Every structure is written in structure tokens, then in C-alpha cells.
């Protein structure tokens, strides 16, 4: 059996984003009081599946609704009305926070510090 070459490419340092903040302080800054914060971060485009996260919150995560928040952060690039309507019509609309904006490097650590779980669609 011959072994194929494996190339390891290390991830970047990401030190331009600053240190993680205290979770409670980050959530206070974002006016979040929930125990579980699910962060979806990055450009918001249809193919990245943000709508699936909203549907997931509507169904299988119902038992966590009282203590959960879906925090969607990034610029909406397409289908704005469709996404806004989906959030508005969701039975969990009060547990979804949408921050539709470009996030500069100096604010990235705030959102990641507030999160328990991060969803990073490619």
C-alpha cells in the first residue's frame, strides 16, 4: 500500500478580530438575554441556507425556544423580501435577530463572543 502525499495548510491567525469578549457582556451589548445563541455569520445569500435555519428553529428546536435565539449577522445580497417575510411569518419570529449589515473586523469578536454555536455556510 502506498501512501499519498498529504498537504496541511494551516488556518490563518484571525488576530485582526481582537480577543473574545466576556459572553455576558457581549450579549448585554447586543440586548440578548437568551441562554443559547445560534450565530449564522457571513453574507446572506439564498444558496447558504439561512431559510433552513429558520425552518429548523420552527420545528425541531421548539423545545429550546424559550431559552434560544437565532442571531443572523451579515449583509443580505439577494431575496431580501423573501427572507424578511420568512422571519416575520415564523412562529419563532421573536427569537430571531437579523443584523443586516457589513460587519467590520473590529465588530466580529462581539458576535462570536455572544454565540454558543456558530453556523458558517460556505
Amino acid at each position: 500500500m502506498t501512501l499519498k502525499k498529504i498537504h496541511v495548510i494551516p488556518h490563518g491567525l484571525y488576530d485582526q478580530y481582537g480577543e473574545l469578549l466576556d459572553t455576558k457582556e457581549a450579549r448585554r451589548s447586543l440586548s440578548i438575554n437568551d441562554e443559547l445563541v445560534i450565530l449564522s455569520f457571513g453574507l446572506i445569500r439564498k444558496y447558504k441556507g439561512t431559510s433552513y435555519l429558520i425552518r429548523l428553529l420552527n420545528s425541531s428546536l421548539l423545545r429550546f425556544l424559550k431559552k434560544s435565539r437565532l442571531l443572523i449577522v451579515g449583509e443580505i445580497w439577494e431575496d431580501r423580501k423573501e427572507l424578511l417575510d420568512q422571519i416575520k411569518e415564523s412562529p419563532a419570529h421573536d427569537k430571531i435577530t437579523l443584523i443586516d449589515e457589513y460587519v467590520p473586523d473590529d465588530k466580529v469578536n462581539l458576535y462570536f463572543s455572544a454565540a454558543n454555536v456558530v453556523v458558517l455556510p460556505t
Side-chain angles (χ1 to χ4, degrees), residues 39-69:
L39 172 64
S40 175
F41 188 86
L43 292 176
I44 302 169
R45 300 185 75 174
K46 190 167 187 158
Y47 77 89
K48 292 192 175 200
T50 305
S51 63
Y52 295 113
L53 279 175
I54 295 168
R55 278 190 241 153
L56 182 66
L57 193 65
N58 292 344
S59 60
S60 60
L61 287 181
L62 281 175
R63 60 192 161 122
F64 297 113
L65 280 180
K66 291 182 181 169
K67 60 181 179 177
S68 300
R69 169 140 324 264

Side-chain angles (χ1 to χ4, degrees), residues 63-116:
R63 60 192 161 122
F64 297 113
L65 280 180
K66 291 182 181 169
K67 60 181 179 177
S68 300
R69 169 140 324 264
L70 175 56
L71 179 59
I72 303 168
V73 181
E75 277 185 288
I76 299 174
W77 274 38
E78 40 190 48
D79 300 316
R80 173 183 304 277
K81 182 178 178 342
E82 186 178 324
L83 179 64
L84 295 176
D85 286 348
Q86 185 184 12
I87 291 171
K88 184 179 175 183
E89 294 166 7
S90 167
H93 68 273
D94 61 329
K95 291 297 186 175
I96 301 170
T97 300
L98 171 65
I99 300 174
D100 174 20
E101 65 182 35
Y102 168 79
V103 180
D105 286 355
D106 63 342
K107 285 182 72 179
V108 170
N109 63 341
L110 173 65
Y111 299 111
F112 279 81
S113 295
N116 297 93

